[in-house]
Amino acid sequence: MTDDLTQKLSAIVDRDFEQTVSELEALVRIPSVSWPAFDPKHLDESAAAVAEMLRETGVFETVDVRRAREGDTEVWGKPAIVAHRPAKNGKPTVLLYAHHDVQPPGDDEKWDTPPFEPTRKGDRLYARGASDDKAGVISHVAAIRALAETAGDDFDLGIAMFIEGEEEWASKSFGNFLRENKDLLTADAIIVADSDNWDTETPALTVALRGAAAFNVRVETLAHASHSGMFGGAVPDAMMAAMKLFATLWDDEGAVAVEGLTEADLDVPDFSEDELRRDAALLDGVTPVGTGKVLSRIWAKPSISLTGIDAPSIANASNTLVPSVLVRLSGRVAPGQDAAEAAEAIQRHLLANAPFGAHVSFEDTDNGQPFLVDTSGWGAETMRQAMADAWGVEPVDTGIGGSIPFIAELVEEFPGAQILVTGVEDPDTRAHSPNESQHLGVLRNATLTEALFMARLNERTL
């Protein structure tokens, strides 16, 4: 039976839902792409809009737009919003994270609707950032408003907000921002609203994330290009060497074959290859790769992808042996393994397997740590119950094949906090792709979940 608190919060969330969606539509109209090639004024506009929404809640003592430097450089990061209200009467503090920057739209011709003009079709709202992660921002705001109305004078929960402005551009100032604003961001529980749900009817708590180990690989065989007719068949060109080298990274089943990479022992739900084929849009006749349960391959095992190559284009292809190629390698690291250790294992493998004595070197390494949630704590227990009450079905503990590297920085800076990875996405969201969309039923349920979680923390004394 639904308790009184759930009924009250549900009624408020439903009453205000059109306002919530309208606020999301207004926010996604701002093309806040954080990549350097795009106009940074839109990030400032987006940050200002989010800050104003937080001020209008009347909940926070502090709401500021701030920046931090990128690492040890003199380069300033993108604008982020920090807000804070202190806890009272021994109540806990929760930190709510999301990001207001978005991916570039890509090719407009691949969108069915303009990428920055929100368009409702049925139960989905289409636009770049409609889900990833401006819906995460809006769900925080709407949940806070619902909690404030329900709690009234008994609103003692501490709330900190960190709405980042560069998650889609590697979070380069993230660590400095945490350290410089630690007094405002320290919390007992941290909600990272930037993940997925099992489907549009079933919530998920993300308990495992793979890490990332990415770097460029340069393969060289010649000091300069040579005529392919004069020397082809006797001289190895860099493209030949690179293809033979990278083929050694996988076995005949397509599973990673690099000594030193580990896998995690995770209990994964059943997920058929037919479901994989549907969700990943495999072409007819193309078979999946790897071995073991499908979700184990995605959540618990390493993967390696080659995501880019610098070599002569077909338009510029001459009859010469290519002296050098540069390839971007993107590895995913199983939970439980250090990302730097995994990168070193892949690099050792490539050096040991270089064919024909080809010269192999590495540059632009970018690692991010994997993450495993302690699911035994009060935070996970409270979140699961809030999900079950808001959605009407029990949540699923899931892993994510992708990475959120900054979570390791949250763990390092706030070791006592319980970190909960939730989200507003679903398998049809298409984040980062053309025709990204937000399922409005999921947005409603995610908002109610967060309101319930915070309301129950408001009743809890640490």
Side-chain angles (χ1 to χ4, degrees):
M1 179 180 293
T2 305
D3 61 18
D4 288 343
L5 179 61
T6 302
Q7 290 179 340
K8 289 177 182 177
L9 286 169
S10 180
I12 295 170
V13 169
D14 289 340
R15 181 197 68 197
D16 295 344
F17 193 64
E18 277 305 311
Q19 175 189 349
T20 299
V21 177
S22 294
E23 290 171 333
L24 175 58
E25 290 174 335
L27 197 57
V28 300
R29 287 191 179 96
I30 305 171
S32 52
V33 180
S34 52
W35 291 30
F38 291 79
D39 192 339
K41 74 177 183 183
H42 298 304
L43 283 168
D44 293 327
E45 183 183 356
S46 179
V50 172
E52 185 58 28
M53 279 192 289
L54 294 178
R55 294 187 186 102
E56 288 175 352
T57 65
V59 163
F60 297 99
E61 289 188 0
T62 301
V63 179
D64 291 314
V65 177
R66 301 183 179 184
R67 298 173 187 256
R69 286 185 171 88
E70 298 179 1
D72 296 329
T73 73
E74 293 302 312
V75 178
W76 288 93
K78 308 298 190 289
I81 304 94
V82 60
H84 182 261
R85 64 168 276 130
K88 297 183 289 185
N89 299 318
K91 300 302 182 183
T93 295
V94 59
L95 169 60
L96 307 178
Y97 169 90
H99 62 88
H100 69 95
D101 67 312
V102 301
Q103 282 276 321
D107 188 349
D108 285 358
E109 293 181 356
K110 295 182 178 179
W111 285 78
D112 296 334
T113 58
F116 292 108
E117 181 54 48
T119 305
R120 294 197 208 189
K121 293 182 181 180
D123 52 12
R124 304 193 78 94
L125 179 70
Y126 289 83
R128 170 60 81 229
S131 190
D132 184 17
D133 186 32
K134 290 181 176 178
V137 175
I138 293 298
S139 68
H140 288 330
V141 175
I144 289 168
R145 284 197 297 244
L147 170 63
E149 181 176 338
T150 303
D153 293 337
D154 295 325
F155 190 178
D156 293 335
L157 180 70
I159 301 178
M161 295 278 290
F162 176 24
I163 308 300
E164 190 189 359
E166 58 185 23
E167 195 274 344
E168 303 292 9
W169 187 246
S171 299
K172 295 181 180 181
S173 68
F174 191 94
N176 285 341
F177 196 96
L178 291 185
R179 287 184 285 274
E180 293 170 12
N181 297 280
K182 189 170 183 177
D183 59 329
L184 297 176
L185 298 178
T186 298
D188 302 291
I190 301 173
I191 298 178
V192 177
D194 193 20
S195 190
D196 207 350
N197 291 287
W198 185 252
D199 55 36
T200 60
E201 305 296 329
T202 312
L205 181 63
T206 300
V207 300
L209 289 156
R210 289 195 295 191
F215 47 85
N216 293 344
V217 186
R218 189 177 296 278
V219 181
E220 300 173 287
T221 58
L222 298 166
H224 58 76
S226 297
H227 195 289
S228 62
M230 297 293 292
F231 298 103
V235 173
D237 63 273
M239 189 69 77
M240 173 199 285
M243 289 184 174
K244 288 183 66 67
L245 172 60
F246 291 120
T248 68
L249 292 170
W250 305 277
D251 64 19
D252 291 342
E253 299 294 327
V256 172
V258 174
E259 184 177 352
L261 295 184
T262 65
E263 59 185 72
D265 183 16
L266 298 182
D267 185 16
V268 300
D270 290 331
F271 191 79
S272 70
E273 289 196 354
D274 286 341
E275 291 172 297
L276 176 67
R277 178 177 297 280
R278 178 200 65 204
D279 289 355
L282 278 174
L283 296 176
D284 290 344
V286 178
T287 61
V289 298
T291 58
K293 287 188 174 182
V294 170
L295 292 181
S296 178
R297 302 177 215 175
I298 299 172
W299 298 353
K301 295 185 179 184
S303 70
I304 297 175
S305 303
L306 306 180
T307 58
I309 182 167
D310 284 347
S313 66
I314 292 176
N316 293 307
S318 61
N319 290 324
T320 54
L321 302 177
V322 177
S324 174
V325 297
L326 185 66
V327 176
R328 186 64 177 176
L329 183 148
S330 175
R332 299 293 177 171
V333 182
Q337 181 165 36
D338 179 76
E341 174 188 298
E344 290 171 2
I346 299 170
Q347 291 176 2
R348 281 197 308 271
H349 175 97
L350 293 171
L351 290 172
N353 288 276
F356 315 120
H359 295 191
V360 177
S361 59
F362 310 103
E363 54 195 66
D364 292 338
T365 298
D366 185 15
N367 295 332
Q369 296 297 345
F371 177 64
L372 278 173
V373 172
D374 177 7
T375 58
S376 63
W378 57 264
E381 178 184 352
T382 306
M383 181 59 75
R384 286 196 190 99
Q385 188 59 57
M387 286 178 168
D389 291 342
W391 291 66
V393 296
E394 291 296 319
V396 177
D397 284 356
T398 65
I400 296 292
S403 308
I404 308 180
F406 65 73
I407 289 183
E409 295 182 87
L410 288 172
V411 172
E412 180 179 354
E413 205 62 42
F414 307 115
Q418 301 199 30
I419 298 178
L420 306 166
V421 183
T422 66
V424 290
E425 298 179 24
D426 69 87
D428 292 326
T429 292
R430 300 189 190 180
H432 295 203
S433 299
N435 301 309
E436 175 183 348
S437 69
Q438 175 61 48
H439 189 279
L440 298 179
V442 171
L443 176 62
R444 181 266 182 195
N445 290 341
T447 300
L448 179 56
T449 294
E450 194 164 293
L452 277 168
F453 177 85
M454 291 192 293
R456 286 167 181 163
L457 259 60
N458 190 53
E459 298 172 348
R460 182 187 185 97
T461 301
L462 293 182

